[in-house]
Amino acid sequence: MRPGNWEPEEWEELVGGGEGAPWSMIIEGDQVVSICHTPRRTSAGAEAGTWTSPAFRGRGYAAATTAAWADLLSTECPHLFYSTSADNHSSQRVAERLGLRHIGWLWKLTRTPAPG
């Protein structure tokens, strides 16, 4: 059932309750179609990591797994975060669907050589 974007060792760790737990998944047949896991967690908060198989996107699965993940952590962590990149519009729609408040942008600065 391991999605191709997870290395075997990472997957075993996750489903065994280690790094990345807690998580929520939607499974269809013998295939994981959507998952929300915990890539970062401290006593102050946790971050959601969400993935949906390309063949199953646009069906609300990412929002469902993220909402279930939040329910698992709501009593343990005072702050839950959903992060996404500025160009991932599908992920931004998941956040909107869940009523999550936008709190900022991550900027990446690069150095370009001076002309001349």
Side-chain angles (χ1 to χ4, degrees):
M1 289 191 344
R2 177 181 59 86
N5 61 323
W6 287 77
E7 294 297 325
E9 300 81 25
E10 291 176 310
W11 187 251
E12 291 302 318
E13 179 77 17
L14 175 74
V15 297
E19 190 73 27
W23 47 263
S24 62
M25 292 183 207
I26 295 177
I27 298 171
E28 189 169 298
D30 62 350
Q31 181 181 8
V32 174
V33 299
S34 189
I35 181 172
C36 183
H37 71 290
T38 313
R40 290 169 196 81
R41 181 178 177 183
T42 69
S43 59
E47 178 185 12
T50 304
W51 172 85
T52 301
S53 172
F56 293 89
R57 291 180 181 162
R59 301 181 191 185
Y61 292 155
T65 56
T66 303
W69 172 87
D71 284 345
L72 290 171
L73 285 163
S74 63
T75 60
E76 297 176 29
C77 293
H79 303 286
L80 300 178
F81 298 93
Y82 181 97
S83 60
T84 188
S85 61
D87 61 346
N88 190 338
H89 302 288
S90 295
S91 188
Q92 291 170 26
R93 284 191 296 275
V94 169
E96 289 171 11
R97 184 174 183 175
L98 294 172
L100 304 176
R101 185 173 55 96
H102 178 82
I103 61 172
W105 294 97
L106 176 64
W107 292 84
K108 181 178 180 182
L109 302 176
T110 58
R111 184 176 181 190
T112 57

